[in-house]
Amino acid sequence: MAKVKTSFFCQNCGTQYAKWQGQCNACKEWNTIAEEIIQKQEKVAWKSEPTPGNRAPKPLKITEIDSAQEVRMDTTDGELNRVLGGGIVPGSLTLLGGEPGIGKSTLLLQISLKLPYKTLYVSGEESQKQIKMRAERITPNSDNCYILTETKTQNIFKQVEAIQPEIVIIDSIQTLHTDYIESTAGSISQIRETTAELIKFAKETSIPVILIGHITKDGNIAGPKILEHMVDTVLQFEGDRNHVYRILRSLKNRFGSTAELGIYEMLGSGLREVSNPSEILISHKDEEMSGTAIATTMEGMRPLMIEIQSLVSTAVYGTPQRSTTGYNAKRLNMILAVLEKRAGFRLGAKDVFLNVTGGISVDDPAIDLAVVAAILSSNEDIPITKGFCFAGEVGLSGEIRPVNRVDQRIQEAEKLGFNTIFVSKYNKIALKNTGIKIELVAKIEDVASFLFG
């Protein structure tokens, strides 16, 4: 047994100190530094005896490295494949975080039951019977899914050697502990050590590992920040538990884009993929109402149609309110100043409320024109004609600036049945003979005169 060592770790950010102190220098939090006993043992966690194939790697010229692309593993889930960049990369480590009860365990159990690969689902939070009850609700039985309730990494690796799975899912990393160190599960040192063992296992065996991670009250993934640096991919599962829709985002991805978005609907039988997000982002109503406009936005390579709602009313309490949901409040103030200065609309003494429906947040500047249209529609109390949509960025001089991928936006609008789209006259449009009318506008005044005469 090696000498017992103690270190002090901040439980909020994971910074290590040689001695205790009241405030963490890194995150400025008080009374978060705790002592943890680190007790190294002489054995290793994975494959203690070296095999002939485990030789020390030698440096290679970059021109000598095989550039053949690794074959990805299909998850049978179109939304997850899109967010991951095409599927699971062998030997990768993926971390999935999200609010409690948002559906992280449901998503991964659902995928593990449908995968054509042999999957080991390790749970440190639920019993096998609890998981079986949820599995029966989600999908019929699968012969490829093995359930293990264990929290000690050394025992998990023994079962991996016995079963030889092709994918390992850990629920969750905060429940694991290792013989390497003596501290409670979920502590900074345990999370760091167990993750390092799983990375070593994944890279040596080319078996992908998917981890579920808890989050803090601020919405960040719990544990040290180094956890996110160590893994290959970080996914965030978002949504309100009071609503049925869930959004899967990629915060970090070494094998693909971080701009992609996956959307699910929570049902009693599990999570349903939403292949056409516009069905949930645009409300269906019988009569036209003022203050609503449809914008075309891009999430990665996927065009979306979203509904912008606005309410403009006289300020009751003297000081006008500016409130937004899903849209940048500072950008709203800028647009209101442009409308006041460049277009002559008197909105300085009025309350302005803006909402992006569906509970998503959008930072694409191409929705500026739809925001302007919704605000003016509410101010004039004149509804925008059904079938109109918008794609344009508003500049400080009141001009309508061109946006990227305008052809994809136009095709998506046409596919969903819109008959007119407003875009900047400075956009270069390659589409010919489209079924949708393309209105080219240069300034805010052109849009206002066209919509409201």
Side-chain angles (χ1 to χ4, degrees):
M1 187 73 68
K3 183 181 178 181
V4 176
K5 295 181 180 179
T6 61
S7 287
F8 295 85
F9 294 94
C10 173
Q11 302 300 308
N12 185 53
C13 68
T15 307
Q16 184 174 358
Y17 296 93
K19 60 180 181 179
W20 185 88
Q21 60 188 55
Q23 185 184 32
C24 175
N25 297 333
C27 64
K28 305 302 180 186
E29 291 288 329
W30 287 90
N31 297 324
T32 58
I33 298 174
E35 183 179 17
E36 295 182 7
I37 300 174
I38 302 176
Q39 186 171 350
K40 287 284 182 181
Q41 294 188 355
E42 295 176 357
K43 61 180 182 179
V44 295
W46 173 252
K47 291 191 177 179
S48 55
E49 290 84 14
T51 59
N54 288 346
R55 294 177 180 174
K58 295 181 179 179
L60 291 174
K61 290 181 182 179
I62 194 166
T63 54
E64 297 174 353
I65 300 174
D66 184 15
S67 60
Q69 198 166 16
E70 190 113 40
V71 178
R72 292 176 182 257
M73 305 171 75
D74 183 12
T75 65
T76 70
D77 186 302
E79 298 297 298
L80 182 59
N81 280 346
R82 176 186 286 109
V83 176
L84 289 174
I88 301 174
V89 175
S92 64
L93 209 72
T94 302
L95 176 64
L96 174 64
E99 292 278 350
I102 206 70
K104 304 183 296 296
S105 300
T106 301
L107 174 65
L108 292 186
L109 179 60
Q110 178 174 309
I111 290 168
S112 63
L113 291 170
K114 294 179 180 178
L115 279 172
Y117 309 102
K118 186 186 288 187
T119 307
L120 178 62
Y121 186 98
V122 182
S123 177
E125 299 179 345
E126 296 178 277
S127 67
Q128 290 175 320
K129 288 185 178 180
Q130 287 176 307
I131 298 171
K132 172 67 173 177
M133 288 170 59
R134 190 146 43 92
E136 288 179 341
R137 178 168 49 87
I138 292 173
T139 187
N141 292 333
S142 169
D143 292 332
N144 290 326
C145 183
Y146 293 80
I147 305 298
L148 173 66
T149 55
E150 181 59 68
T151 59
K152 188 175 176 180
T153 56
Q154 282 71 28
N155 294 342
I156 292 172
F157 291 139
K158 287 178 183 176
Q159 296 301 323
V160 166
E161 288 187 22
I163 297 173
Q164 296 292 318
E166 295 173 90
I167 294 178
V168 176
I169 296 174
I170 306 291
D171 182 10
S172 65
I173 186 62
Q174 276 79 13
T175 64
L176 296 191
H177 67 93
T178 175
D179 281 340
Y180 264 169
I181 49 180
E182 287 188 356
S183 57
T184 57
S187 62
I188 301 295
S189 50
Q190 281 286 8
I191 291 174
R192 184 162 47 198
E193 191 69 30
T194 52
T195 304
E197 290 181 13
L198 290 167
I199 288 176
K200 186 172 186 290
F201 159 74
K203 302 306 178 188
E204 289 184 0
T205 61
S206 292
I207 296 175
V209 178
I210 303 176
L211 310 175
I212 291 178
H214 299 168
I215 65 168
T216 64
K217 61 182 180 181
D218 298 325
N220 302 316
I221 292 177
K225 195 70 177 176
I226 194 173
L227 173 62
E228 296 172 57
H229 289 290
M230 292 168 75
V231 300
D232 297 310
T233 306
V234 180
L235 305 180
Q236 185 82 11
F237 212 29
E238 303 172 356
D240 189 342
R241 281 186 294 175
N242 299 319
H243 294 84
V244 295
Y245 297 110
R246 306 284 188 266
I247 296 172
L248 184 66
R249 295 183 188 273
S250 175
L251 304 182
K252 171 191 174 182
N253 193 352
R254 287 176 179 159
F255 314 112
S257 170
T258 57
E260 296 296 345
L261 188 80
I263 300 180
Y264 295 88
E265 181 183 8
M266 178 62 84
L267 303 173
S269 58
L271 290 158
R272 179 183 75 88
E273 302 171 47
V274 179
S275 56
N276 178 20
S278 301
E279 70 182 67
I280 67 168
L281 300 176
I282 299 178
S283 59
H284 303 281
K285 46 189 179 293
D286 296 330
E287 58 184 34
E288 295 181 352
M289 293 181 289
S290 63
T292 63
I294 307 298
T296 63
T297 184
M298 298 292 295
E299 284 288 348
M301 299 298 293
R302 168 192 269 188
L304 301 179
M305 306 296 291
I306 59 174
E307 182 177 320
I308 309 294
Q309 294 180 335
S310 176
L311 176 63
V312 179
S313 61
T314 305
V316 179
Y317 303 106
T319 304
Q321 299 181 65
R322 304 284 188 260
S323 178
T324 66
T325 303
Y327 187 72
N328 192 309
K330 292 182 179 178
R331 194 160 187 86
L332 173 62
N333 290 331
M334 184 203 80
I335 287 176
L336 293 175
V338 171
L339 288 172
E340 185 100 16
K341 176 77 174 178
R342 303 295 183 187
F345 292 96
R346 302 298 173 210
L347 301 171
K350 295 187 176 181
D351 293 336
V352 180
F353 303 94
L354 197 74
N355 177 44
V356 179
T357 60
I360 69 169
S361 297
V362 182
D363 55 6
D364 185 1
I367 71 171
D368 288 351
L369 191 55
V371 170
V372 167
I375 291 171
L376 297 182
S377 170
S378 179
N379 186 52
E380 303 290 334
D381 202 19
I382 300 175
I384 295 173
T385 305
K386 192 174 183 180
F388 284 10
C389 60
F390 305 84
E393 180 183 352
V394 175
L396 289 178
S397 60
E399 82 278 15
I400 309 301
R401 298 173 56 83
V403 297
N404 63 347
R405 297 192 181 127
V406 67
D407 292 343
Q408 288 177 262
R409 299 173 194 264
I410 293 172
Q411 288 173 336
E412 180 72 8
E414 182 180 1
K415 186 175 74 174
L416 293 176
F418 290 89
N419 53 44
T420 306
I421 183 169
F422 292 79
V423 299
S424 170
K425 68 180 293 186
Y426 307 110
N427 258 120
K428 295 180 180 178
I429 302 171
L431 294 174
K432 303 293 182 184
N433 302 322
T434 57
I436 185 172
K437 184 180 179 183
I438 302 173
E439 284 290 340
L440 303 176
V441 290
K443 292 187 175 181
I444 289 177
E445 298 95 300
D446 300 343
V447 182
S449 61
F450 190 98
L451 295 176
F452 313 111

